[in-house]
Amino acid sequence: MGTFATTVVLGILATALMDLWGLARPRLLGWPRPDYRLVGRWFAHMGRGRFRHHAIAAAPPRPGELAIGWAAHYLIGTSFAGLLVGGWGDAWLARPTLGPPLLVGIGTVAAPLLLMQPAMGAGIAGARTRRPWQARLQSLVTHAVFGLGLYGAGWVTHALHTLFH
């Protein structure tokens, strides 16, 4: 498997772990599940020239927003995996360590806090939400889980590479 294919697998597996966390967190911590339909609505409105919303939930629904949201979620996760591979390269893929993927995972929390949440009407770092610190903590923990997913996926792809070579 080449570096690009490995990066795609890393992104998909790490994002899938993040999704499993999203399913578990309501039962474990009472936190709501992420709603990628709203992410899809945000992206769909971009196609019509609207990039910022007062409240994305109040914006008119767009056709296909759920599928758009899930596709964007996995494409973004794969892009973030590209940051890991781009920064640490084949040396990391040959021997995955925890530090780099955790750094990338936690570092990517900047995207929702500084870009997505403000553009979707939640304010910088969720400042306009009912419980800003809970929103921030949820984002941080979720992105840390993504980083752990990158680490685990690194070992999965390493094992597959070892098995077939």
Side-chain angles (χ1 to χ4, degrees):
M1 196 163 36
T3 304
F4 179 77
T6 301
T7 302
V8 171
V9 171
L10 288 173
I12 290 171
L13 291 177
T15 304
L17 179 65
M18 193 167 114
D19 292 336
L20 290 174
W21 166 247
L23 290 173
R25 71 188 210 179
R27 285 176 285 222
L28 296 175
L29 301 172
W31 293 350
R33 288 183 10 199
D35 189 352
Y36 296 112
R37 175 182 53 88
L38 296 177
V39 174
R41 183 174 299 171
W42 180 52
F43 275 104
H45 276 278
M46 285 182 200
R48 296 177 153 255
R50 184 147 186 218
F51 296 87
R52 186 160 164 46
H53 299 266
H54 178 71
I56 193 64
R62 303 300 311 147
E65 63 187 29
L66 181 61
I68 294 167
W70 278 99
H73 173 57
Y74 274 83
L75 287 170
I76 292 166
T78 300
S79 298
F80 288 160
L83 293 175
L84 172 64
V85 175
W88 283 270
D90 290 332
W92 184 84
L93 291 171
R95 183 151 174 77
T97 56
L98 180 59
L102 204 52
L103 182 67
V104 168
I106 292 170
T108 61
V109 79
L113 296 179
L114 302 176
L115 175 68
M116 294 176 76
Q117 290 172 3
M120 294 170 80
I124 294 174
R128 293 187 61 224
T129 63
R130 276 187 240 135
R131 294 183 204 102
W133 282 103
Q134 185 179 22
R136 294 168 190 148
L137 181 60
Q138 288 175 22
S139 292
L140 179 64
V141 170
T142 298
H143 282 255
V145 167
F146 176 75
L148 292 173
L150 287 171
Y151 176 64
W155 278 108
V156 167
T157 58
H158 175 72
L160 290 172
H161 180 75
T162 303
L163 241 159
F164 295 106
H165 284 91

mmCIF file of all heavy atoms in Angstrom, residues 16 30-31 38 44 48 67 81 95 98 118 120-121 133 136 148:
data_model
loop_
_atom_site.group_PDB
_atom_site.id
_atom_site.type_symbol
_atom_site.label_atom_id
_atom_site.label_comp_id
_atom_site.label_asym_id
_atom_site.label_seq_id
_atom_site.Cartn_x
_atom_site.Cartn_y
_atom_site.Cartn_z
ATOM 1 N N ALA A 16 -13.592 6.844 11.952
ATOM 2 C CA ALA A 16 -14.553 5.839 12.405
ATOM 3 C C ALA A 16 -14.485 5.667 13.925
ATOM 4 O O ALA A 16 -15.529 5.534 14.586
ATOM 5 C CB ALA A 16 -14.310 4.512 11.695
ATOM 6 N N GLY A 30 -23.176 11.778 29.008
ATOM 7 C CA GLY A 30 -24.369 12.603 28.844
ATOM 8 C C GLY A 30 -24.208 13.699 27.802
ATOM 9 O O GLY A 30 -25.032 14.607 27.728
ATOM 10 N N TRP A 31 -23.152 13.609 26.998
ATOM 11 C CA TRP A 31 -22.923 14.595 25.941
ATOM 12 C C TRP A 31 -23.723 14.205 24.706
ATOM 13 O O TRP A 31 -23.843 13.022 24.391
ATOM 14 C CB TRP A 31 -21.449 14.663 25.567
ATOM 15 C CG TRP A 31 -20.550 15.189 26.630
ATOM 16 C CD1 TRP A 31 -20.896 15.777 27.815
ATOM 17 C CD2 TRP A 31 -19.127 15.174 26.607
ATOM 18 N NE1 TRP A 31 -19.780 16.120 28.526
ATOM 19 C CE2 TRP A 31 -18.682 15.766 27.803
ATOM 20 C CE3 TRP A 31 -18.193 14.723 25.692
ATOM 21 C CZ2 TRP A 31 -17.332 15.914 28.097
ATOM 22 C CZ3 TRP A 31 -16.848 14.875 25.990
ATOM 23 C CH2 TRP A 31 -16.424 15.471 27.177
ATOM 24 N N LEU A 38 -25.862 19.090 10.229
ATOM 25 C CA LEU A 38 -25.655 20.545 10.292
ATOM 26 C C LEU A 38 -24.362 20.949 9.592
ATOM 27 O O LEU A 38 -24.290 22.014 8.985
ATOM 28 C CB LEU A 38 -25.669 21.016 11.744
ATOM 29 C CG LEU A 38 -27.000 20.829 12.473
ATOM 30 C CD1 LEU A 38 -26.894 21.254 13.927
ATOM 31 C CD2 LEU A 38 -28.126 21.562 11.761
ATOM 32 N N ALA A 44 -23.436 22.919 2.253
ATOM 33 C CA ALA A 44 -24.389 23.100 1.158
ATOM 34 C C ALA A 44 -24.709 24.585 0.947
ATOM 35 O O ALA A 44 -24.849 25.029 -0.193
ATOM 36 C CB ALA A 44 -25.666 22.312 1.437
ATOM 37 N N ARG A 48 -24.055 28.176 -2.285
ATOM 38 C CA ARG A 48 -24.924 29.294 -2.640
ATOM 39 C C ARG A 48 -24.327 30.627 -2.182
ATOM 40 O O ARG A 48 -25.020 31.637 -2.134
ATOM 41 C CB ARG A 48 -26.306 29.098 -2.018
ATOM 42 C CG ARG A 48 -26.995 27.878 -2.571
ATOM 43 C CD ARG A 48 -28.334 27.672 -1.884
ATOM 44 N NE ARG A 48 -29.195 26.966 -2.798
ATOM 45 C CZ ARG A 48 -30.193 27.522 -3.470
ATOM 46 N NH1 ARG A 48 -30.484 28.776 -3.335
ATOM 47 N NH2 ARG A 48 -30.912 26.787 -4.282
ATOM 48 N N ALA A 67 -25.869 13.482 3.813
ATOM 49 C CA ALA A 67 -24.793 12.829 3.048
ATOM 50 C C ALA A 67 -23.600 13.768 2.881
ATOM 51 O O ALA A 67 -22.446 13.340 2.998
ATOM 52 C CB ALA A 67 -25.312 12.379 1.690
ATOM 53 N N ALA A 81 -5.330 13.295 8.578
ATOM 54 C CA ALA A 81 -4.357 12.195 8.551
ATOM 55 C C ALA A 81 -3.191 12.572 7.644
ATOM 56 O O ALA A 81 -2.037 12.219 7.915
ATOM 57 C CB ALA A 81 -5.023 10.907 8.074
ATOM 58 N N ARG A 95 7.094 2.901 12.037
ATOM 59 C CA ARG A 95 7.096 2.644 13.488
ATOM 60 C C ARG A 95 6.255 3.715 14.175
ATOM 61 O O ARG A 95 6.790 4.706 14.674
ATOM 62 C CB ARG A 95 8.506 2.628 14.028
ATOM 63 C CG ARG A 95 8.551 2.287 15.492
ATOM 64 C CD ARG A 95 9.843 1.586 15.865
ATOM 65 N NE ARG A 95 9.958 1.385 17.287
ATOM 66 C CZ ARG A 95 9.314 0.444 17.977
ATOM 67 N NH1 ARG A 95 8.482 -0.352 17.375
ATOM 68 N NH2 ARG A 95 9.510 0.313 19.264
ATOM 69 N N LEU A 98 2.984 7.361 19.702
ATOM 70 C CA LEU A 98 1.775 8.055 20.132
ATOM 71 C C LEU A 98 1.839 9.574 19.990
ATOM 72 O O LEU A 98 0.843 10.213 19.655
ATOM 73 C CB LEU A 98 1.461 7.692 21.595
ATOM 74 C CG LEU A 98 0.221 8.321 22.208
ATOM 75 C CD1 LEU A 98 -1.028 7.958 21.419
ATOM 76 C CD2 LEU A 98 0.089 7.892 23.656
ATOM 77 N N PRO A 118 -17.579 29.307 14.805
ATOM 78 C CA PRO A 118 -17.946 30.701 14.507
ATOM 79 C C PRO A 118 -18.790 30.838 13.242
ATOM 80 O O PRO A 118 -19.774 31.581 13.225
ATOM 81 C CB PRO A 118 -16.596 31.399 14.343
ATOM 82 C CG PRO A 118 -15.623 30.567 15.086
ATOM 83 C CD PRO A 118 -16.127 29.146 14.949
ATOM 84 N N MET A 120 -20.783 28.716 11.950
ATOM 85 C CA MET A 120 -22.092 28.097 12.100
ATOM 86 C C MET A 120 -22.954 28.800 13.153
ATOM 87 O O MET A 120 -24.063 28.369 13.440
ATOM 88 C CB MET A 120 -21.921 26.612 12.414
ATOM 89 C CG MET A 120 -21.295 25.851 11.252
ATOM 90 S SD MET A 120 -20.804 24.161 11.658
ATOM 91 C CE MET A 120 -22.371 23.329 11.547
ATOM 92 N N GLY A 121 -22.410 29.861 13.749
ATOM 93 C CA GLY A 121 -23.186 30.667 14.685
ATOM 94 C C GLY A 121 -22.945 30.384 16.158
ATOM 95 O O GLY A 121 -23.591 30.987 17.012
ATOM 96 N N TRP A 133 -17.829 26.009 27.955
ATOM 97 C CA TRP A 133 -16.719 25.156 28.387
ATOM 98 C C TRP A 133 -17.006 23.686 28.115
ATOM 99 O O TRP A 133 -16.098 22.930 27.801
ATOM 100 C CB TRP A 133 -16.367 25.404 29.857
ATOM 101 C CG TRP A 133 -15.572 26.652 29.961
ATOM 102 C CD1 TRP A 133 -16.002 27.873 30.372
ATOM 103 C CD2 TRP A 133 -14.221 26.822 29.543
ATOM 104 N NE1 TRP A 133 -14.992 28.803 30.253
ATOM 105 C CE2 TRP A 133 -13.875 28.182 29.752
ATOM 106 C CE3 TRP A 133 -13.246 25.981 29.015
ATOM 107 C CZ2 TRP A 133 -12.622 28.695 29.460
ATOM 108 C CZ3 TRP A 133 -11.993 26.498 28.732
ATOM 109 C CH2 TRP A 133 -11.693 27.837 28.953
ATOM 110 N N ARG A 136 -16.307 23.220 24.410
ATOM 111 C CA ARG A 136 -14.848 23.180 24.182
ATOM 112 C C ARG A 136 -14.273 21.841 24.610
ATOM 113 O O ARG A 136 -13.442 21.248 23.897
ATOM 114 C CB ARG A 136 -14.181 24.319 24.936
ATOM 115 C CG ARG A 136 -14.560 25.678 24.407
ATOM 116 C CD ARG A 136 -14.140 26.803 25.328
ATOM 117 N NE ARG A 136 -14.758 28.034 24.868
ATOM 118 C CZ ARG A 136 -15.124 29.024 25.667
ATOM 119 N NH1 ARG A 136 -14.913 28.960 26.966
ATOM 120 N NH2 ARG A 136 -15.702 30.095 25.152
ATOM 121 N N LEU A 148 -5.903 9.382 18.972
ATOM 122 C CA LEU A 148 -5.688 7.988 19.380
ATOM 123 C C LEU A 148 -6.058 7.036 18.247
ATOM 124 O O LEU A 148 -5.404 6.011 18.052
ATOM 125 C CB LEU A 148 -6.512 7.674 20.632
ATOM 126 C CG LEU A 148 -6.084 8.390 21.912
ATOM 127 C CD1 LEU A 148 -7.088 8.119 23.035
ATOM 128 C CD2 LEU A 148 -4.672 7.987 22.319
#
